[in-house]
Structures are given as structure tokens and as C-alpha cells.
């Protein structure tokens, strides 16, 4: 009985230990480049949800891994639409050098304050590839 319990708990504990925020103390830089946006290659991952927290875009992702290095980049097109409010196209890209297969869930944080235009308040609609709904960024 104890052996069965151990066989069940050990993989569960290893999954829980691997779930942590990649950058809980701050936001990663948003890359604005049409060339990088158009040419970005990504390893497989699942976009779970995204929301704005202050000037950070918080993105929850799931991917296979657990024993190697991974790197997520948020790439936005340089321009924005002429619509009101303006829209910015974004793509999250995963570079996964990790061959493990544990299903990991991470929260990523990216600084979107560079999207602010001028002085005062405003709004941008963020279109993140892989999500059906746009994300409203008010500042």
C-alpha cells in the first residue's frame, strides 16, 4: 500500500515543484520588431489566458518540459492600427531546449508600458496570437 502511494505522490510532487513564475519580481521586455514578428519560430505551447496587471501583460502558458532551459519572448509589431482604440498585434514565442515531457504551467510577465502614447491617459487593444479575445490596456 505504501509503495503504491509513493508511486502516485512522487510524480505529483515533481510537477508541483516545477510550477513557478518565470519572473515574479518584474516584467520582461516587450520586443517591438516587424522582422522578428514576421519570422518568429516557436516551439509548441498552450496559451491559457492573459490579463493586464498595472503595466504588465500577464500570460499563463502550459508546455512540456521540466528539466532544461526555456525562453519566452513577447514580440509586437512596430506599428499599430489606425482604429480607435489602436490595436497592437503580438505573438508569444517559446524557445524550448528542454526534452522532458512534464506538463508545466507558468505565469509570464511582460512590460507593455512602451505602448503608451503621449502624456495622460489612453487605451490600446492588444491582439495576442492564440487568444480569441483582445486584451484592453488602459493607462
Amino acid at each position: 500500500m505504501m509503495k503504491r502511494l509513493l508511486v502516485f505522490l512522487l510524480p505529483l510532487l515533481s510537477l508541483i515543484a516545477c510550477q513557478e513564475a518565470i519572473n515574479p519580481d518584474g516584467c520582461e521586455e516587450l520586443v517591438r520588431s516587424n522582422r522578428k514578428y514576421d519570422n518568429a519560430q516557436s516551439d509548441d505551447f498552450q496559451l491559457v489566458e492573459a490579463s493586464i496587471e498595472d503595466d504588465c501583460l500577464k500570460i499563463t502558458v502550459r508546455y512540456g518540459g521540466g528539466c532544461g532551459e526555456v525562453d519566452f519572448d513577447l514580440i509586437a509589431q512596430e506599428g499599430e492600427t489606425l482604429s480607435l482604440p489602436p490595436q497592437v498585434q503580438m505573438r508569444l514565442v517559446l524557445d524550448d531546449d528542454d526534452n522532458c515531457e512534464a506538463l508545466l504551467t507558468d505565469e509570464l510577465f511582460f512590460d507593455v508600458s512602451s505602448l503608451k502614447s503621449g502624456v495622460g491617459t489612453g487605451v490600446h487593444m492588444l491582439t495576442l496570437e492564440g487568444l480569441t479575445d483582445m486584451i484592453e490596456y488602459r493607462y
Side-chain angles (χ1 to χ4, degrees):
M1 178 67 170
M2 188 63 129
K3 190 175 185 179
R4 282 187 180 174
L5 184 61
L6 185 59
V7 169
F8 173 75
L9 285 178
L10 190 57
L12 182 63
L13 289 174
S14 67
L15 279 177
I16 292 170
C18 291
Q19 293 182 358
E20 62 182 65
I22 287 179
N23 189 6
D25 297 325
C27 298
E28 297 292 330
E29 180 181 350
L30 168 68
V31 177
R32 295 207 65 185
S33 167
N34 288 340
R35 183 184 58 78
K36 287 183 180 182
Y37 182 89
D38 291 339
N39 298 318
Q41 298 292 316
S42 181
D43 291 307
D44 291 332
F45 68 93
Q46 178 188 7
L47 231 150
V48 178
E49 65 182 354
S51 61
I52 294 290
E53 292 184 6
D54 296 320
D55 287 330
C56 287
L57 177 60
K58 175 184 169 186
I59 305 172
T60 304
V61 295
R62 286 193 190 112
Y63 62 96
C67 60
E69 291 292 319
V70 297
D71 184 39
F72 282 95
D73 289 314
L74 183 62
I75 304 170
Q77 289 184 331
E78 293 173 21
E80 54 195 42
T81 65
L82 298 176
S83 62
L84 291 175
Q87 297 176 21
V88 177
Q89 303 290 325
M90 299 180 159
R91 175 178 291 157
L92 186 64
V93 176
L94 169 61
D95 181 14
D96 187 357
D97 291 332
D98 184 348
N99 294 326
C100 292
E101 297 296 326
L103 183 60
L104 303 178
T105 301
D106 282 327
E107 292 179 340
L108 312 169
F109 299 87
F110 294 94
D111 184 355
V112 291
S113 64
S114 64
L115 300 177
K116 293 180 180 179
S117 54
V119 180
T121 60
V123 63
H124 274 79
M125 299 304 292
L126 310 180
T127 303
L128 183 56
E129 188 176 283
L131 290 181
T132 54
D133 295 329
M134 286 192 265
I135 305 153
E136 186 177 271
Y137 173 44
R138 289 192 173 276
Y139 50 89

